[in-house]
Amino acid sequence: MAAPVNSVVNSSAKCSSFNATSFQKKTRSRLISIPGTRPSVQNGQLLVSTGVTSLDYLLGGGLAVGTVLLIEEDRYDSYSRMILKYFLAEGVVCRHELFVASAQHTPDDILQELPSPILDDVAIHKPVEQPRLSHEPQDSLDAMKIAWRYQNLPKVQTALASSSRFGHYYDVSKMMEAEIREAAKCHRFYLPEHPTQSSPTHSPMLESYSALLKSLRDVIQREGFEVTAPMSKSRNILRIGLHSLGSTLWGDDLCCHDNPRHGHALTTFLYGLRALLRSSLSVAVVTVPSHLIQNRALMGRITRLCDNAIALESFKGSEREANPLYKDYHGLLHVRQVPHLNCLASQLPDHKDLAFKLKRKQSHIQCGILWPFHLFIYFDL
Amino acid sequence: MLSELLQGTDTGGFLIVQDNISHSGRPLLKSFISAALNRDEDVHVLAFEASEEELKDGLQGLPCQRLHIHNAYIDPLGWTAHPAFTVQQFCFEELTQLAKQTSQPKPATLVIDSLSWILRHLNPPHVCKTLQQLRKGGAVRAIIGLLHADMHQRGTVGSICHLATSVIAVSPGMKADEAVAKTTKRAKSGKVTQDEEIFRINEDLTVVVLNKTSHPGPKQTDQEEPEMDPTANLTFNLRLSDTEREAKEKLALPFVFSKEKKMALLQSGPGSGRILYEPDANDDYDQEDPDDDLDV
């Protein structure tokens, strides 16, 4: 669209206000631009990355802000804990705020084990050692002979990634350095430090869950994560990681009995959590030891109360380990639920047989989800 | 792996011996007690299911001044006026006090015979919380518990074993005095190892591990098979000798510039164009929809 310039004397600031046509370019409503987020291509929701790029792909591009991801733990809680750590590490790298709650391990223990990000988006490439002739000078080793115009440009990563600024890659064999980690603001909730006060009203929620919900609400209000908070401040996302909810250490007998006495405690908590998240700029990842929960109806209710739900089944210790089909993978991944937010139907992944693997590539180990059998696109994450 | 566990659990370790009606785990528990006594450690035993005499049977040859048996067999529910040890005393404060009573500055090992008995009378979340607090607190170095897996619901057994660092499930073996032990060990790094062994317990409570069972153990996940080198075993020569490499380097390539010219071209001079682009808020994200411009 051409806006005619009035004259050279008038400053250029004026020419944009003169419209010769009646067509107005439709400007999108002011998108909150927060680092580490992007709008979804399907329904325009604001998405954050889970830290594992292929999990983002399965969930439709990422985790929508204001939703809950439920991870059903594998038997020894190794891989679910790893995905939780990836989620928190992604928050550190994108400079979001973190909230970590656990009853078994101190949140500091979990934070110290975060994987280290591979910071330049460049595959670490060791040039193959060629035996050099004696008359070659030292500094010409890096100079390219034929493609010398490109020698000052960074090496480009060949693996596909939707946008490298949205999801990052991590190296599980190394821990995140302390200065990167401490730069992120983190709120902690360790259950043994919160003495349980018996509530006067008989609420269906346990004291531990009430304390956790109250702590979350306080953090959201105090730090200004609510959607209705004034827009003058720069906005940020709060990433909430809740480890092993429903286990006995939270005081819940969901995992012990077939007909638990506190059958409604966790479901009430999840309901309150989702209400809290919908009205704030936060995302939550909750892990639940579902292999211990015997009551399948209860597990179904818990799944319905969360927006996204995946289940991890590790091959360690099960009879599937001997199956030759599975020998390259570490476990199966089941997508139990994908949300449909502001639209009629959700985008389910095309393939139902998903397996995951911790891949050791060159010098680092990354977590990846593979599509076995016919579709062998290898997502290097 | 059984012998490693017998040699000493790490600090903060929680070991569970899981047995069932067909094979009792108490002899293995007594082997753990005798191994700990041989290492000069203080051992506190909470005896709910077996009497003191039965537990001491077989441990005579060992230094018994370090062994403290808390007799909860006589009156566990506190029906008499002066019970020795009741099940209500199974909580963090009382047990820490108990463990600190010994004269040794080194933390003690706590042996619980059995956890199943306690789980019948206290609710599982409380038991789990106490065990977790004991592990994190410094009064007790290691906890060894006996659990009868067929006495409880699967969820309860699973929840208690979820807290443990190692679980040994015993079952009867082929011969009368042999038993099969399936061990699962969780290291602090999160790595899980499993093993299946046949063992026998001698008269003096030492454990003899016989050969492993016929099923091979699961392969370690980080062992990679050596990749076949495709350049080996070829009928033609892919390698270069030194003279050949020299000749290759000396070959003048077309379009090759001198070093000065290369440097000049690589650095952007004042005349070279640079594209500066700053997307503003009006920029269209969606390249596919041409009608997105119209405000219809």
Side-chain angles (χ1 to χ4, degrees), chain A residues 28 104 255-258 317, chain B residues 132 136 153 155-156 192 194 292:
Chain A
R28 281 178 204 268
Q104 188 169 11
C255 295
C256 305
H257 301 134
D258 287 343
Chain B
Q132 179 77 0
K136 296 274 166 135
Q153 290 176 359
T156 314
V192 174
Q194 288 183 324
D292 210 34

Side-chain angles (χ1 to χ4, degrees), chain A residues 66-71 204-206 209-210 212-213 216 240 242 244-246 252 254 263-278 284-288 293 298-309 337:
Chain A
T67 59
V68 181
L69 168 65
L70 173 77
I71 302 180
M205 228 186 332
L206 289 172
Y209 295 144
S210 316
L212 176 58
L213 203 58
L216 269 171
I240 303 171
L242 306 177
S244 218
L245 280 187
D252 203 351
L254 205 64
H264 294 288
L266 184 58
T267 43
T268 318
F269 170 78
L270 286 173
Y271 197 68
L273 176 71
R274 214 165 58 146
L276 202 58
L277 292 184
R278 290 285 198 268
V285 167
V286 175
T287 69
V288 168
I293 297 180
L298 206 46
M299 198 57 229
R301 255 180 258 157
I302 293 173
T303 310
R304 289 282 171 275
L305 279 170
C306 299
D307 302 294
N308 306 274
Q337 186 172 259

Side-chain angles (χ1 to χ4, degrees), chain A residues 24-28 76 104 133 136 145 148-149 248-249 255-258 292 294 316-317 321 360, chain B residues 124 128 132 136 153-156 158-159 163 184 186 192 194 218 222 224 246 249 257 282 292-293:
Chain A
Q24 301 257 350
K25 181 163 185 174
K26 180 168 119 181
T27 61
R28 281 178 204 268
Y76 301 109
Q104 188 169 11
L133 297 173
E136 272 179 21
K145 271 190 91 173
W148 53 267
R149 281 178 215 268
T248 45
L249 289 171
C255 295
C256 305
H257 301 134
D258 287 343
L292 296 172
Q294 306 299 315
K316 189 93 207 170
E321 202 164 2
R360 189 191 288 274
Chain B
C128 288
Q132 179 77 0
K136 296 274 166 135
Q153 290 176 359
R154 266 194 10 210
T156 314
S159 307
L163 287 178
T184 309
R186 260 208 282 198
V192 174
Q194 288 183 324
D222 55 359
E224 287 174 8
E246 265 188 51
E249 302 288 329
F257 295 136
N282 288 347
D292 210 34
D293 281 3

Side-chain angles (χ1 to χ4, degrees), chain B residues 129-180:
Chain B
K129 196 166 106 169
T130 309
L131 289 169
Q132 179 77 0
Q133 281 171 328
L134 279 173
R135 274 184 70 194
K136 296 274 166 135
V140 170
R141 187 177 160 270
I143 309 176
I144 306 175
L146 182 65
L147 185 68
H148 305 304
D150 42 8
M151 263 179 76
H152 309 282
Q153 290 176 359
R154 266 194 10 210
T156 314
V157 174
S159 307
I160 301 261
C161 292
H162 196 62
L163 287 178
T165 50
S166 331
V167 178
I168 307 176
V170 294
S171 47
M174 304 297 263
K175 298 200 191 121
D177 55 349
E178 283 174 6
V180 177

Side-chain angles (χ1 to χ4, degrees), chain B residues 61-123:
Chain B
L62 296 165
C64 277
Q65 68 270 24
R66 297 220 198 284
L67 177 68
H68 310 270
I69 298 188
H70 302 277
N71 199 337
Y73 182 69
I74 299 177
D75 184 17
L77 294 174
W79 288 341
T80 62
H82 304 285
F85 190 85
T86 63
V87 76
Q88 305 305 327
Q89 282 176 279
F90 186 79
C91 63
F92 177 57
E93 294 81 14
E94 300 256 358
L95 287 175
T96 326
Q97 221 173 11
L98 205 89
K100 287 204 170 119
Q101 268 168 13
T102 56
S103 51
Q104 273 279 338
K106 241 184 354 174
T109 306
L110 181 68
V111 175
I112 306 177
D113 176 16
S114 63
L115 277 170
S116 291
W117 210 98
I118 301 177
L119 280 169
R120 300 301 292 175
H121 292 272
L122 295 177
N123 65 338

Side-chain angles (χ1 to χ4, degrees), chain A residues 116-346:
Chain A
S116 127
I118 302 172
L119 282 173
D120 14 279
D121 278 332
V122 166
I124 300 171
H125 168 70
K126 269 204 183 57
V128 174
E129 288 294 328
Q130 291 276 3
R132 290 185 303 117
L133 297 173
S134 54
H135 65 259
E136 272 179 21
Q138 190 80 11
D139 52 22
S140 71
L141 201 58
D142 277 339
M144 296 192 219
K145 271 190 91 173
I146 298 176
W148 53 267
R149 281 178 215 268
Y150 299 108
Q151 73 186 34
N152 282 348
L153 297 174
K155 293 191 180 79
V156 182
Q157 197 161 27
T158 51
L160 73 102
S162 46
S163 148
S164 35
R165 247 160 268 125
F166 182 62
H168 294 88
Y169 305 113
Y170 296 94
D171 181 359
V172 173
S173 56
K174 288 200 292 231
M175 299 296 141
M176 191 182 266
E177 276 140 41
E179 55 262 8
I180 307 180
R181 198 176 58 228
E182 275 145 29
K185 195 157 170 202
C186 180
H187 307 274
R188 296 159 174 82
F189 182 94
Y190 182 43
L191 186 67
E193 287 168 10
H194 289 252
T196 51
Q197 306 113 2
S198 53
S199 55
T201 61
H202 288 283
S203 73
M205 228 186 332
L206 289 172
E207 295 92 33
S208 49
Y209 295 144
S210 316
L212 176 58
L213 203 58
K214 186 167 177 313
S215 170
L216 269 171
R217 199 169 48 223
D218 288 340
V219 167
I220 289 179
Q221 275 172 357
R222 196 178 60 221
E223 306 288 328
F225 286 109
E226 282 186 337
V227 176
T228 51
M231 291 279 261
S232 53
K233 273 183 18 164
S234 63
R235 308 311 297 274
N236 205 351
I237 304 270
L238 178 68
R239 285 188 184 232
I240 303 171
L242 306 177
H243 179 250
S244 218
L245 280 187
S247 71
T248 45
L249 289 171
W250 285 94
D252 203 351
D253 61 349
L254 205 64
C255 295
C256 305
H257 301 134
D258 287 343
N259 290 318
R261 208 166 358 126
H262 303 122
H264 294 288
L266 184 58
T267 43
T268 318
F269 170 78
L270 286 173
Y271 197 68
L273 176 71
R274 214 165 58 146
L276 202 58
L277 292 184
R278 290 285 198 268
S279 61
S280 63
L281 287 175
S282 36
V283 197
V285 167
V286 175
T287 69
V288 168
S290 69
H291 55 99
L292 296 172
I293 297 180
Q294 306 299 315
N295 191 337
R296 298 325 294 173
L298 206 46
M299 198 57 229
R301 255 180 258 157
I302 293 173
T303 310
R304 289 282 171 275
L305 279 170
C306 299
D307 302 294
N308 306 274
I310 60 170
L312 299 173
E313 183 188 330
S314 118
F315 292 148
K316 189 93 207 170
S318 80
E319 59 274 2
R320 291 199 211 241
E321 202 164 2
N323 194 334
L325 269 177
Y326 296 136
K327 75 172 163 58
D328 288 329
Y329 308 110
H330 292 157
L332 294 178
L333 184 123
H334 308 279
V335 177
R336 299 267 192 239
Q337 186 172 259
V338 178
H340 43 96
L341 305 161
N342 303 334
C343 54
L344 283 175
S346 48

